Each structure stands twice: as structure tokens, then as C-alpha cells.
């Protein structure tokens, strides 16, 4: 099996980047069951996404299917993981070690997806000096430790009213990408990557849809 | 101050439902600073969303601003919270008490946003009988306990290869909405609400944008 070259520097459309992990998750399950080849039609049927959409999304990654048999499963897993950055190591720090910050430091799942949390920072002095073996520091040491640890991703898990000020501080001290778990809409220079994961916004969507359902049932 | 009637049964566009929590977060900060009135222009400036977009989004919620002074801050907070369902109580159960499931049970922030986790279920027998005071049960007791607890939201935090089967099981036992934290694309009947929060998909977007950045710098 030859591993194809992967060009991860293409700027992919966000919807494609959201769908590729679905394909990966499904194809990995097929891989664990010993399946060797899979077609976009099979993936489509299993996960309820249009086959032509899947073929289009997969055309961004450097892999081509064989007529009638489809994509080689092992290659597809490798290419998707490389393409999504899941088998690289991206060093990140957690900023704000409350419940959510601590939970993320405990989540070993993140490492499987290429995110290595190398430190946690908080404005409060903490009783313990590590969580799950990952060192904790006071924010005063942020500048020095970030450089030493060579981390360029900041995971923002502070109270919402501190979000912008803490983001500014991280950016001033060399952070290039912020994974924002607060519901605050951050402002940042253009060359900074901001990724919002406001789980509370997702709750709002779910509650609204549930209410619609109840109304329909009346 | 009169509290306006809120019609939460309108099916809102998803992008609007994603933006409303940004407005709420910002307006609450202003409220804590004693601000009484706020205009869509002020919100726009602070959070970098177009003022006309904000006015349009807010037209879905039953509140109108006064010329020159804008929206009354206290009313806006109440209306947005009601509208988003954050001050109702939605009873949910966690299905799959691993790292992530346990972390969510510890996250008291969710209750502030209207989600009350009333039980955790796992296929493994567990040493402790509760997390953060929330009872843990074996999945065998799911049907009985879900009814007793009157929970209709299931938070899916199982390993990805079990996602579909566990979703099917919850639906067969009366769950109406699934908050899916796995990267698996679930299939479900139309009357079931599925809300995906695949944090790993967000990682993929962030890694891709970071890589683009590096390429540009070369």
C-alpha cells in the first residue's frame, strides 16, 4: 500500500471540514470490521449524506476510488486523518481551569484527534500543581511557559465576562489560534484563527426544535 | 417593567439561534455594569456582527427598541433567555459515563442554560453510585428510570462505534432529542431532534486554518 501525499494547506470549505470527520468515523468502524473497499454510495447509505456530496468532499483529499470497488479503506483512513490533522501533534494550553477547562485536560480523546494539551493556566492560585499529569501555572507565567512549551493554540475556558481580555492577553503572548468555549463573540486580528465551540448555542437550537415538535403534536 | 410574551415555538433559522447567545452574553455583561439601554449599533460594534443582522435577529424575539435609546437591557436579557429556553428546565440523561460524560455531569454551567442532568447511564458497572450528586445506573434500568425521571433529552457520549445502536436504544425508550457528542452521523426518525456537537470536527477546522496561515507566511 502506498501512502498518498496529502496537501493539508488547501483552505477547505467549513461544511466539508465538518463532514469529513463523519466519513472518517464511519470508515474506521468499517476498517475495524475488516472491510477492504468502500464506495461513496455505501458511505452515503450508512450516514445519510448524498453520495455525490461525499465524492465531491473526498475529491479535496488526494485519494481516488477504483471503479466498482470504491476507495481502499486503509488508505482512506490514513489520508483523512492526515488531511484533518488528527495524526499530527498540535500543542495547546488551557486558559481558565474551571470545570470545563479541567474536563478538557482529562479528556484523553483529544490527543487521538491531534490535540496535545501541555499546560493549564488560571488567575487563581490552585491547590494541585497538575491535572492528569499536565502542569498548572498561574497566568503570570503564561508568556514564559508558552514559549518554553512551544504551544500556539489557546483553549479559552474562562467566565464569559473575561473572554475578550483573556483572548487579547493570549494573542499578545504569541497564541495563533483560539478554541473559544465561551459564548462570547471574540474580536481578533485577521491572522488569528478563532474557532467557536459554544455548546450553549447548540442547546438553544435543540430546545427550539423540541418546542417546535411539541407545538406540532398539539 | 412588563415582561413581554415570548413565543418560543417559532422555528428559528439555525444561524440566528447561533447568534442570539452572543447577544445575550454581551447584553448580560452590560447589565452587570449597570447599563440600562443598548442599541443594535452598540452591540454590533462590540461583537463584530452587522447591526442590521442584529436588528433582524432580534425581530424574531418579541421585543422592540425605542428610537435613539435602543433596547431596555433588563427586558432584553429576560426575553432572550426565555426565547433560547435557558430559563426553563429541560431534563436530560447522560448516556455513556466516560471522561466526557462525567465532565458534562460536573459542568454546573449547563444548568444555568436550562439543561438539568438528572441521571447517568453506562453499560459498565461503576464503583460509585453518583457523580456530583447525580445518580448513575446500569443501562438495563434505562427504560424504567427515564420514565420516572421524566427526561426526554439524551446526551450521547459513548464510543463512536456504539453511537447508532445506543441512539436507537434511547429513542425506542422514549427519548425525543439527542445531543450527540460523538463524531458519528446518526440516523433517526424525523420526529427526533438530533443536535451534533462534534468537538473533533471543530478541531479539524482549526488545524486546517492554522496550516493555511503557515503556508501564507512562507
Amino acid at each position: 500500500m502506498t501512502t498518498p501525499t496529502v496537501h493539508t494547506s488547501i483552505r477547505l470549505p467549513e461544511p466539508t471540514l465538518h463532514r469529513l470527520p463523519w466519513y472518517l468515523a464511519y470508515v474506521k468502524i468499517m476498517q475495524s470490521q475488516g472491510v477492504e473497499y468502500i464506495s461513496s454510495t455505501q458511505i452515503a447509505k450508512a450516514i445519510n449524506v448524498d453520495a455525490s456530496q461525499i465524492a465531491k468532499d473526498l475529491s479535496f483529499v488526494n485519494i481516488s476510488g477504483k471503479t466498482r470497488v470504491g476507495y481502499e479503506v486503509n488508505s482512506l483512513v490514513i489520508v483523512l486523518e492526515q488531511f484533518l490533522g488528527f495524526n499530527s501533534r498540535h500543542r495547546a494550553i488551557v486558559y481558565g481551569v474551571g470545570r470545563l477547562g479541567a474536563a478538557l485536560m482529562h479528556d484523553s480523546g483529544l490527543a487521538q484527534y491531534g490535540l496535545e494539551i501541555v499546560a493549564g493556566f488560571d488567575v487563581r492560585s490552585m491547590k494541585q500543581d497538575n491535572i492528569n499529569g499536565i502542569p498548572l501555572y498561574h497566568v503570570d507565567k503564561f508568556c514564559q511557559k508558552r514559549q518554553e512549551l512551544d504551544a500556539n493554540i489557546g483553549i479559552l475556558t474562562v467566565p464569559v465576562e473575561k473572554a475578550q481580555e483573556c483572548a487579547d492577553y493570549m494573542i499578545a503572548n504569541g497564541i495563533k489560534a483560539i478554541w473559544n468555549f465561551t459564548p462570547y463573540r471574540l474580536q481578533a486580528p485577521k491572522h488569528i484563527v478563532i474557532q467557536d465551540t459554544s455548546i450553549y448555542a447548540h442547546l438553544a437550537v435543540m430546545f427550539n426544535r423540541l418546542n417546535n415538535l411539541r407545538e406540532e403534536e398539539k
Side-chain angles (χ1 to χ4, degrees), chain A:
Chain A
M1 189 181 81
T2 52
T3 308
T5 325
V6 177
H7 301 286
T8 48
S9 60
I10 305 161
R11 187 180 172 87
L12 282 195
E14 192 155 330
T16 296
L17 280 168
H18 278 277
R19 284 187 297 262
L20 290 176
W22 292 340
Y23 311 156
L24 176 61
Y26 178 70
V27 174
K28 278 178 89 168
I29 293 173
M30 292 300 101
Q31 184 185 39
S32 72
Q33 294 175 8
V35 175
E36 282 182 53
Y37 288 92
I38 198 162
S39 68
S40 49
T41 319
Q42 283 171 285
I43 304 175
K45 212 177 157 189
I47 68 170
N48 201 21
V49 172
D50 205 60
S52 61
Q53 182 67 66
I54 295 174
K56 201 179 155 190
D57 288 338
L58 289 179
S59 74
F60 284 109
V61 308
N62 194 22
I63 192 163
S64 44
K66 287 181 196 166
T67 323
R68 267 192 285 269
V69 288
Y71 304 98
E72 201 197 351
V73 166
N74 289 334
S75 301
L76 192 52
V77 167
I78 292 170
V79 170
L80 280 172
E81 285 188 333
Q82 284 196 317
F83 203 86
L84 292 167
F86 290 167
N87 56 7
S88 311
R89 282 285 152 266
H90 301 83
R91 297 165 75 79
I93 60 96
V94 165
Y95 201 97
V97 187
R99 292 272 187 221
L100 182 60
L104 291 170
M105 293 174 77
H106 271 123
D107 182 7
S108 43
L110 291 169
Q112 286 171 43
Y113 289 87
L115 193 85
E116 189 190 359
I117 299 178
V118 292
F121 291 87
D122 205 288
V123 70
R124 299 160 297 181
S125 46
M126 285 163 290
K127 282 174 200 157
Q128 74 251 62
D129 65 353
N130 78 85
I131 287 180
N132 196 20
I134 302 164
L136 295 175
Y137 303 106
H138 189 269
V139 289
D140 285 350
K141 292 203 172 151
F142 185 82
C143 182
Q144 178 206 336
K145 289 292 172 191
R146 190 209 66 77
Q147 280 186 31
E148 281 176 24
L149 294 164
D150 192 27
N152 63 0
I153 296 175
I155 303 174
L156 190 64
T157 46
V158 296
V160 59
E161 65 274 14
K162 300 287 179 195
Q164 185 65 56
E165 137 193 4
C166 293
D168 293 343
Y169 181 75
M170 286 201 286
I171 294 166
N173 286 292
I175 284 294
K176 300 288 181 222
I178 293 179
W179 193 7
N180 176 28
F181 280 84
T182 80
Y184 197 83
R185 168 82 165 165
L186 298 174
Q187 303 225 31
K190 265 200 173 162
H191 63 278
I192 300 295
V193 177
I194 302 285
Q195 177 62 47
D196 290 311
T197 297
S198 178
I199 62 173
Y200 308 122
H202 292 181
L203 273 182
V205 177
M206 188 167 64
F207 294 160
N208 185 261
R209 300 303 183 240
L210 261 174
N211 275 333
N212 300 151
L213 213 67
R214 283 198 199 108
E215 291 298 312
E216 280 166 26
E217 279 170 1
K218 275 180 193 167

